[in-house]
Amino acid sequence: MDLDRRQAISTGIFATLAGSTATYAARNGGASRKVDVAIVGAGFAGLTAATTLTRAGQDVAVVEQLGRVGGRTKAAILAGHPVDIGGQWVGPTQTALLELGRRYGVPTELQYASGNNLFVHAGNLRKFEGDVPPLADAEMAQLAAAMEKIETQAASLNPYAPWASVNGEQLDAVSSRQWFEANVPSPAARATLELFWRVVYSVEASEISHLYALEYVRASGGLAQLTGTRGGAQDATFKGGLHLIARKMAAELGDRLTSNVKVIRIIQSDNDIRVIHRGGEITARRLVLAIPPSALARIDISPPLPANARYIADRMPLGSVVKFLVAYKSPFWRERGLSGQIIDTDSPVKVIFDKSMDDGLGALVGFFNGSDAGRASILSQSERRNLVIEQAKKYFGPEAANPIDYIDNDWLAEDGIGGGYTSIPGPGVFSRAGGALRQPFGRIHFAGTETSDVWPGYVEGAVRSGQRVAAEIVRSKR
Ligand SMILES: Cc1cc2nc3c(=O)[nH]c(=O)nc-3n(C[C@H](O)[C@H](O)[C@H](O)COP(=O)(O)OP(=O)(O)OC[C@H]3O[C@@H](n4cnc5c(N)ncnc54)[C@H](O)[C@@H]3O)c2cc1C
């Protein structure tokens, strides 16, 4: 899309702005660089765009505000073992990420899923197999009917413009909670759907546009893909960690990547684009913004982004999540025929999985999601640890009282990111401005998991967005 007349007029003020930013860079001892493509953000989207463009012969410069790469994926150590304290799982239909793992020599291992899962609801603890918890027959029938309706509506969406689908605007006018209340009379079936939403989207069902929730289901291949372990999004993890792939991509980029520099201003003209960060500036032919929509709102962009892009940047916040891992001497629950997978509608941690290690260390991984994360975020880490251990005792008895290690990451407090897993629009936003998410603006191209129409919200979506944006740039003439 070429700059429109309004932007062309504001091009007149570029000289003034350029003067002041040159002074800024000089004042801060910053260096200037000239490249084909500047990329902001070294999460999987930015790293994929950068490595793809480099292989296509383009000179790139990547700038990342944090002192690490990987964005919403992050390394941590649990009882001496490397683990992921951000994004972790990969599913069999997430082919772009699986291919990346192969390219960088990071193999996958299947998520442990043998034995019985546990389901806790209204004070009752029951064992079950598979991904859908056991409800009484009448409640199960309502849950199954609601899930089928969701699948059918999701599959019928227009993949290019979900809001233009039949009933698109009506579905966008309500939250998923309003839809559940209108369509699912059984409280137990509603509580199960609310739990699925909290765990899959990491927001309350009242905070998400139902149309957006459906689009997410469509773009991921169905509800079973989103909620499933074997064959679904929780099918496997990467040996040594998903974050390891990001670090290997960064190593390939070498000094094309600079970390610890936050981009604060972008100035676009007819001839080039200038990216001003706290360590200097980059002049480029094209720019990739590989950051979540809410991070766009924190950069001074001149001329301003189109109204719909600004609207979505202001109204598509990240969800709320605190992720934890807890280690035991051994996975003692396995000896009792339990998989370690828990679904619990009654407690602050709604979902837990086994993350035990090959050398015999027992480990559980789980999340505080949505409003539970908000409440967990104001606790200290030791208070969160106590909450998690109390819950584990409920499922596994006194043996769970003595872990050998506990770590967690409050993503709401994560420097420069401020939430996870992904950005979620409330009612009304997606149908009004969803089209702006990946619409280039002059020399600016938008990547990031939120811009993907396949597996948005996941690392798969981030990787695909990086590939798409690289193709857009290779096709662009100047
Ligand atoms: C706890 C948690 C668990 C998750 N679990 C999974 C999972 O199991 N499987 C899965 O597939 N996905 C999972 N996800 C989601 C997944 O991690 C994200 O979808 C994906 O990592 C997003 O990648 P991205 O490149 O689009 O954005 P990001 O990873 O957010 O990268 C954007 C980067 O831009 C940088 N940046 C922002 N603004 C600026 C600026 N002004 N200047 C310079 N740099 C800037 C940020 O610091 C960041 O590094 C999880 C996420 C979380 C938080």
Side-chain angles (χ1 to χ4, degrees):
M1 191 181 80
D2 286 321
L3 292 175
D4 65 15
R5 194 168 154 268
R6 183 176 55 78
Q7 295 140 22
I9 292 167
S10 42
T11 307
I13 62 164
F14 284 159
T16 322
L17 286 169
S20 64
T21 49
T23 314
Y24 173 88
R27 243 197 343 258
N28 290 279
S32 291
R33 277 181 79 179
K34 203 163 184 178
V35 291
D36 295 326
V37 186
I39 297 168
V40 181
F44 270 87
L47 292 169
T48 303
T51 47
T52 310
L53 285 164
T54 302
R55 270 183 236 119
Q58 307 259 342
D59 186 18
V60 310
V62 186
V63 277
E64 164 59 49
Q65 64 181 355
L66 302 177
R68 63 175 181 86
V69 298
R72 283 171 266 174
T73 66
K74 185 178 177 183
I77 299 289
L78 178 77
H81 296 70
V83 290
D84 288 299
I85 200 73
Q88 159 181 353
W89 281 286
V90 63
T93 69
Q94 297 179 345
T95 51
L97 176 56
L98 287 169
E99 174 54 31
L100 213 56
R102 277 191 290 275
R103 169 175 292 161
Y104 289 95
V106 184
T108 56
E109 55 192 350
L110 282 180
Q111 169 64 41
Y112 185 80
S114 306
N116 286 307
N117 305 330
L118 295 177
F119 176 55
V120 182
H121 178 60
N124 297 314
L125 188 151
R126 268 170 288 175
K127 292 180 180 173
F128 74 104
E129 286 175 5
D131 298 316
V132 182
L135 301 179
D137 287 351
E139 293 163 344
M140 190 56 119
Q142 282 198 27
L143 178 63
M147 287 173 71
E148 199 181 314
K149 199 164 179 181
I150 288 166
E151 298 273 18
T152 311
Q153 283 183 332
S156 71
L157 292 182
N158 174 341
Y160 305 105
W163 46 88
S165 313
V166 180
N167 294 333
E169 285 202 17
Q170 288 96 312
L171 289 165
D172 196 41
V174 295
S175 69
S176 287
R177 175 165 299 160
Q178 287 168 316
W179 190 90
F180 296 157
E181 282 167 353
N183 290 275
V184 192
S186 150
R190 266 207 314 273
T192 308
L193 285 166
E194 291 255 355
L195 178 142
F196 280 166
W197 254 234
R198 214 179 267 134
V199 168
V200 166
Y201 301 100
S202 223
V203 294
E204 299 299 305
S206 57
E207 294 174 294
I208 183 168
S209 140
H210 195 54
L211 178 69
Y212 190 73
L214 292 172
E215 163 58 8
Y216 211 82
V217 172
R218 180 205 67 73
S220 309
L223 270 177
Q225 278 293 318
L226 289 170
T227 59
T229 301
R230 194 61 70 243
Q234 287 67 235
D235 188 66
T237 54
F238 288 92
K239 278 191 177 215
L242 170 53
H243 61 267
L244 193 55
I245 304 177
R247 296 220 302 273
K248 290 190 172 205
M249 295 170 89
E252 180 180 318
L253 290 169
D255 64 5
R256 295 183 189 93
L257 186 148
T258 315
S259 53
N260 269 324
V261 282
K262 182 177 171 125
V263 170
I264 50 176
R265 181 180 287 185
I266 290 164
I267 303 167
Q268 179 168 200
S269 74
D270 279 345
N271 301 323
D272 59 20
I273 187 146
R274 294 176 53 209
V275 179
I276 290 90
H277 55 79
R278 295 210 187 278
E281 76 172 78
I282 301 165
T283 305
R285 188 173 61 80
R286 297 269 154 184
L287 169 66
V288 176
L289 291 175
I291 59 181
S294 53
L296 287 175
R298 296 194 287 269
I299 302 178
D300 176 5
I301 302 179
S302 177
L305 295 178
N308 277 349
R310 279 182 283 132
Y311 186 83
I312 210 143
D314 286 340
R315 290 174 179 79
M316 195 165 167
L318 283 155
S320 305
V321 64
V322 177
K323 177 172 176 174
F324 67 83
L325 285 115
V326 56
Y328 294 93
K329 275 190 195 135
S330 70
F332 57 88
W333 50 91
R334 291 185 182 178
E335 289 151 25
R336 301 182 206 157
L338 297 176
S339 65
Q341 193 170 324
I342 319 286
I343 298 180
D344 186 339
T345 63
D346 296 357
S347 304
V349 175
K350 303 280 186 294
V351 66
I352 292 177
F353 291 86
D354 186 307
K355 185 60 187 116
S356 301
M357 309 289 166
D358 289 349
D359 66 358
L361 183 85
L364 298 169
V365 55
F367 305 88
F368 295 89
N369 299 105
S371 61
D372 291 320
R375 283 185 286 274
S377 180
I378 56 176
L379 300 177
S380 67
Q381 194 185 51
S382 72
E383 287 171 322
R384 289 196 291 267
R385 178 185 183 278
N386 291 343
L387 267 180
V388 167
I389 290 163
E390 278 312 305
Q391 249 191 262
K393 277 160 61 184
K394 181 164 91 176
Y395 315 126
F396 305 128
E399 250 183 293
N402 299 307
I404 56 171
D405 198 8
Y406 171 90
I407 56 169
D408 70 21
N409 202 71
D410 175 3
W411 283 89
L412 287 163
E414 183 73 7
D415 194 24
I417 293 187
Y421 328 121
T422 188
S423 312
I424 300 286
V429 176
F430 195 46
S431 57
R432 173 161 161 190
L437 269 172
R438 55 175 170 265
Q439 176 72 51
F441 172 57
R443 298 177 176 279
I444 306 179
H445 300 255
F446 299 92
T449 191
E450 288 83 358
T451 69
S452 182
D453 54 5
V454 179
W455 285 104
Y458 288 76
V459 174
E460 175 73 10
V463 172
R464 286 179 185 247
S465 78
Q467 293 170 339
R468 171 193 42 81
V469 98
E472 277 173 18
I473 289 174
V474 168
R475 278 199 308 269
S476 68
K477 293 190 185 64
R478 54 193 195 107

